[in-house]
Amino acid sequence: MIPFNKPYLSGKETFYIEDAVGSGKISGNGKYTKLCQDYFESKYAFKKCLLTTSCTDALEMCAILANIEKDDEIIIPSYTFVSTALAFVRQGAKIIFADSNSENPNIDVAKIESLITEKTKAIVPVHYAGIACDMEGIMNLATKYNLLVIEDAAQAIDSYFIFKDGTKKALGSIGHLAAFSFHETKNIISGEGGMLAINDAKFIHRAEIIWEKGTNRAEFFRGEINKYGWVDTGSSFLPSEIISAFLWAQLEQLDFIQNRRKELWNLYYKLLKPHENLGFKIVEIPNFATNNAHMFFIVFDSLEKRTKCIEKLKNNSVMAVFHYLSLHKSDYYKDKYSGEELIWSDHYTDRLLRLPMYFELTESDINKIVTLITE
Ligand SMILES: *Cc1c(COP(=O)(O)O)cnc(C)c1O
């Protein structure tokens, strides 16, 4: 059987977990949390990182930091995971769903401006499959209308945006805030896990408080104050050192993991590209983006072809899966939605197929998968 995903283990995870356990410090914000946060800050130039228990939690921290209140409007793509919307819905926000673009499932930046109103507080671009949204266009709109940009970079670790002047910046380092996931289905994992990246320094102080149950405990641990107490809202967003120790073992091999994933991605591309005339399209990486090989997906020209292909693969023990269902049509939101048709979001809902993608996938697995698809 070729599964859709298989979590990669570096082999050092339990070693670092034992070290954390043996040290007697297993709650959060200890040695391994700091190692991971420092690593991300220096490798990707985020101003400040805080590990969280999930990307969903990091997005909830963003909603609190942005002071989202009832009836504030947040612009997000409809073609995304529930968490992107949920974090803001919990604060009472109204979600304004935007369509994807015709080239890939990312938000169509040309459609954002007409969705902005007096009540708009933030734009939340999602870098689908780790492919950058047009961050230059989004940041320009945000400046023009004084909006916050919160990147859902759940799938986007180790991926970059290239500005028109040639500057290259890591995804998650461009918006005011960004959220990453280390869920076992992502490139770099800790089972469940996530991270808040803060690029606008004015959020750093309050983020640490929200992270630590609304207390100023982080400052207390640094010896900056001599007692700590309740100073703001918040929750328990920080992971234990056991999770961070696991993550550290992955970070030591980040480049190694990424290189292998990119090799596999390139092989899929090479073998499938000549067959696009059979009724599917491979999404190209835009010139302003890099590839982090989070996912390999194809877009069929009909739902019927996708269904047949999934069947064919499944009958031959290959697990390929479709992805999101447009959120504006979800059971939870459809009665609240009053916007227009989102044809591209529905297009990807019906036609996109994700192929197996994980470190241990082999060249012969990919050959087998490609043969089945072309058949
Ligand atoms: C995985 C994912 C999330 C949620 O991540 P968790 O760490 O499981 O909370 C949110 N948004 C997107 C786009 C994702 O792919």
Side-chain angles (χ1 to χ4, degrees):
M1 211 255 290
I2 303 178
F4 170 67
N5 179 57
K6 190 173 172 197
Y8 171 75
L9 295 176
S10 79
K12 293 281 280 285
E13 285 83 359
T14 48
F15 174 81
Y16 289 128
I17 289 173
E18 271 180 40
D19 180 53
V21 172
S23 78
K25 162 73 184 165
I26 50 175
S27 62
N29 200 9
K31 170 178 139 189
Y32 287 103
T33 302
K34 290 193 185 76
L35 277 172
C36 295
Q37 291 176 174
D38 289 350
Y39 173 94
F40 286 120
E41 285 163 17
S42 69
K43 186 168 172 96
Y44 299 117
F46 307 127
K47 270 216 183 80
K48 174 73 191 165
C49 290
L50 294 173
L51 293 190
T52 56
T53 45
S54 65
C55 176
T56 307
D57 266 358
L59 288 165
E60 286 177 12
M61 287 185 70
C62 292
I64 298 171
L65 282 166
N67 282 322
I68 301 305
E69 290 169 4
K70 192 162 158 30
D71 299 328
D72 285 344
E73 295 180 359
I74 311 291
I75 298 172
I76 76 165
S78 181
Y79 194 77
T80 183
F81 189 57
V82 180
S83 301
T84 320
L86 193 58
F88 300 94
V89 166
R90 290 176 86 255
Q91 296 286 118
K94 180 169 180 208
I95 304 298
I96 306 296
F97 288 110
D99 208 355
S100 299
N101 69 71
S102 57
E103 297 302 312
N104 68 42
N106 285 341
I107 194 165
D108 184 349
V109 176
K111 302 235 179 80
I112 295 178
E113 193 157 16
S114 66
L115 300 174
I116 296 173
T117 71
E118 295 276 276
K119 292 180 173 170
T120 309
K121 277 277 185 75
I123 306 171
V124 187
V126 179
H127 305 297
Y128 186 79
I131 302 171
C133 295
D134 172 8
M135 288 307 290
E136 196 152 21
I138 292 171
M139 294 312 289
N140 287 342
L141 280 173
T143 309
K144 182 170 169 193
Y145 293 97
N146 194 24
L147 304 175
L148 277 178
V149 174
I150 299 166
E151 294 175 72
D152 182 337
Q155 305 172 12
I157 196 71
D158 201 43
S159 203
Y160 294 80
F161 179 82
I162 302 156
F163 287 79
K164 290 196 188 86
D165 68 4
T167 329
K168 191 170 146 191
K169 282 192 175 173
L171 299 186
S173 74
I174 303 164
H176 305 88
L177 300 164
F180 287 90
S181 175
F182 306 119
H183 184 265
E184 72 167 25
T185 51
K186 307 300 201 267
N187 291 27
I188 302 297
I189 61 173
S190 61
E192 302 280 354
M195 180 171 76
L196 173 68
I198 304 161
N199 304 308
D200 184 335
K202 77 163 182 270
F203 292 113
I204 294 174
H205 179 68
R206 190 163 177 238
E208 280 190 332
I209 290 168
I210 292 166
W211 191 55
E212 281 264 30
K213 302 109 181 150
T215 72
N216 49 5
R217 190 156 133 192
E219 283 167 275
F220 174 73
F221 278 141
R222 283 196 297 265
E224 293 164 11
I225 48 175
N226 51 26
K227 61 177 184 172
Y228 78 86
W230 185 12
V231 294
D232 202 340
T233 186
S235 189
S236 189
F237 286 117
L238 70 174
S240 85
E241 279 288 292
I242 295 173
I243 301 273
S244 312
F246 188 111
L247 184 62
W248 179 244
Q250 298 262 316
L251 295 186
E252 281 189 328
Q253 294 196 4
L254 186 138
D255 292 331
F256 177 65
I257 296 168
Q258 286 299 88
N259 287 339
R260 178 62 181 157
R261 292 185 75 107
K262 284 179 208 168
E263 273 173 18
L264 296 168
W265 196 101
N266 289 334
L267 182 60
Y268 263 130
Y269 185 91
K270 192 179 103 191
L271 297 179
L272 277 169
K273 189 71 185 169
H275 298 293
E276 283 188 311
N277 59 342
L278 293 173
F280 61 81
K281 198 179 118 180
I282 297 172
V283 165
E284 301 289 335
I285 307 292
N287 289 332
F288 59 62
T290 65
N291 181 18
N292 76 343
H294 171 59
M295 189 193 294
F296 195 92
F297 66 96
I298 56 180
V299 182
F300 285 93
D301 54 22
S302 74
L303 170 60
E304 195 194 356
K305 269 190 194 152
R306 184 181 75 176
T307 308
K308 274 193 187 154
C309 188
I310 293 174
E311 269 305 296
K312 170 86 182 176
L313 290 167
K314 198 173 161 206
N315 292 338
N316 289 277
S317 305
V318 176
M319 300 304 139
V321 287
F322 55 83
H323 211 180
Y324 306 129
L325 309 175
S326 293
L327 289 182
H328 71 289
K329 290 191 169 169
S330 63
D331 286 345
Y332 184 74
Y333 220 85
K334 62 177 186 263
D335 298 334
K336 304 178 186 72
Y337 186 71
S338 56
E340 54 184 56
E341 288 279 299
L342 303 176
I343 54 165
W344 287 106
S345 179
D346 294 343
H347 177 86
Y348 297 112
T349 295
D350 288 341
R351 294 174 178 81
L352 187 148
L353 183 67
R354 296 179 290 162
L355 303 179
M357 184 61 165
Y358 50 90
F359 186 92
E360 286 173 51
L361 194 69
T362 65
E363 275 78 0
S364 81
D365 290 337
I366 292 183
N367 272 295
K368 174 180 168 181
I369 295 163
V370 169
T371 305
L372 288 168
I373 292 171
T374 55
E375 281 171 6

